[in-house]
Amino acid sequence: NAGVTQTPKFRILKIGQSMTLQCAQDMNHNYMYWYRQDPGMGLKLIYYSVGAGITDKGEVPNGYNVSRSTTEDFPLRLELAAPSQTSVYFCASSDTSPGARAFFGQGTRLTVV
Amino acid sequence: GDSVTQMEGPVTLSEEAFLTINCTYTATGYPSLFWYVQYPGEGLQLLLKATKADDKGSNKGFEATYRKETTSFHLEKGSVQVSDSAVYFCALGGGATNKLIFGTGTLLAVQP
């Protein structure tokens, strides 16, 4: 059982470049989340989705976009990378509600230079 | 909005010491409460959870009780080990929110 898979694991971007962080889960979970974790800091919610076709902003959505065309996939798009987006990004999913156990991917370490 | 506040770290303990990491929450409705643990270089994994008031979650010697009257969910362990060294996150989800909200995390370092 693969769980939540994130790709890539590491990436270096130049300022102004764009990229998509991929997240896929094979547990048929409705809820999916994107978080960023800055050094020495906690998790901040970027975007979340309660099901295919439905997304909503979290605490820090500026500079990011998401889509949820299928239950399995929840990609995060950075359009114009900035140094402030240097962080570790985690994708997570949960089954019936946010009150259920969440499963996390291994994270993507992004550096913008 | 809903939020979670947990004690600042780092917390440094000697092996076999007693651990408490404080967590309080603000929420509308009745969310589930969680403790997640993050080992170095890894993603988060669930340590324990409680779904309603007075529930006690427990796992691997760790315990936490959902206290509605004090809006708290403090994590405790009677005797920590070096292998418990990690970052611990308190979180809430469900109830009146569609979000899974985390505290800032507390780094625990256990010395032999």
Side-chain angles (χ1 to χ4, degrees):
Chain A
N1 189 350
V4 179
T5 303
Q6 287 184 240
T7 55
K9 287 188 168 52
F10 304 94
R11 183 73 186 267
I12 298 174
L13 276 184
K14 293 184 178 178
I15 294 172
Q17 287 186 320
S18 300
M19 78 164 293
T20 299
L21 282 66
Q22 301 290 346
C23 175
Q25 53 92 7
D26 61 358
M27 297 171 283
N28 202 33
H29 285 174
N30 288 319
Y31 288 77
M32 295 188 75
Y33 313 87
W34 273 107
Y35 294 90
R36 60 178 286 172
Q37 184 179 33
D38 298 327
M41 305 289 286
L43 296 173
K44 294 186 178 179
L45 183 64
I46 306 171
Y47 271 94
Y48 66 102
S49 170
V50 302
I54 305 170
T55 63
D56 208 346
K57 295 177 181 178
E59 184 184 0
V60 289
N62 291 346
Y64 307 94
N65 279 298
V66 293
S67 59
R68 185 94 183 269
S69 56
T70 66
T71 298
E72 294 78 19
D73 300 301
F74 190 42
L76 178 71
R77 178 84 178 162
L78 282 72
E79 288 296 346
L80 291 170
S84 61
Q85 294 177 305
T86 294
S87 190
V88 179
Y89 292 83
F90 287 102
C91 179
S93 72
S94 61
D95 185 8
T96 53
S97 80
R101 173 185 178 179
F103 293 80
F104 280 78
Q106 291 295 298
T108 296
R109 184 175 295 276
L110 175 67
T111 303
V112 181
V113 296
Chain B
D2 293 5
S3 65
V4 175
T5 302
Q6 63 182 102
M7 66 186 284
E8 296 271 337
V11 174
T12 303
L13 295 173
S14 298
E15 209 164 21
E16 300 183 1
F18 184 86
L19 168 71
T20 300
I21 301 177
N22 290 338
C23 171
T24 57
Y25 67 92
T26 301
T28 53
Y30 303 96
S32 294
L33 300 177
F34 307 88
W35 279 99
Y36 282 83
V37 59
Q38 184 182 32
Y39 297 102
E42 298 184 10
L44 279 71
Q45 54 186 280
L46 179 68
L47 179 61
L48 54 84
K49 67 177 281 190
T51 57
K52 61 183 186 298
D54 299 326
D55 266 4
K56 178 186 284 189
S58 61
N59 186 26
K60 299 181 181 180
F62 290 90
E63 294 183 339
T65 301
Y66 192 142
R67 301 283 189 199
K68 187 167 173 291
E69 63 276 11
T70 55
T71 62
S72 65
F73 193 55
H74 304 321
L75 182 68
E76 296 181 336
K77 186 174 186 182
S79 176
V80 294
Q81 305 299 312
V82 172
S83 58
D84 294 327
S85 298
V87 180
Y88 291 82
F89 291 90
C90 186
L92 68 81
T97 179
N98 277 327
K99 303 174 186 178
L100 180 58
I101 297 169
F102 285 84
T104 53
T106 302
L107 173 64
L108 170 65
V110 180
Q111 299 176 339

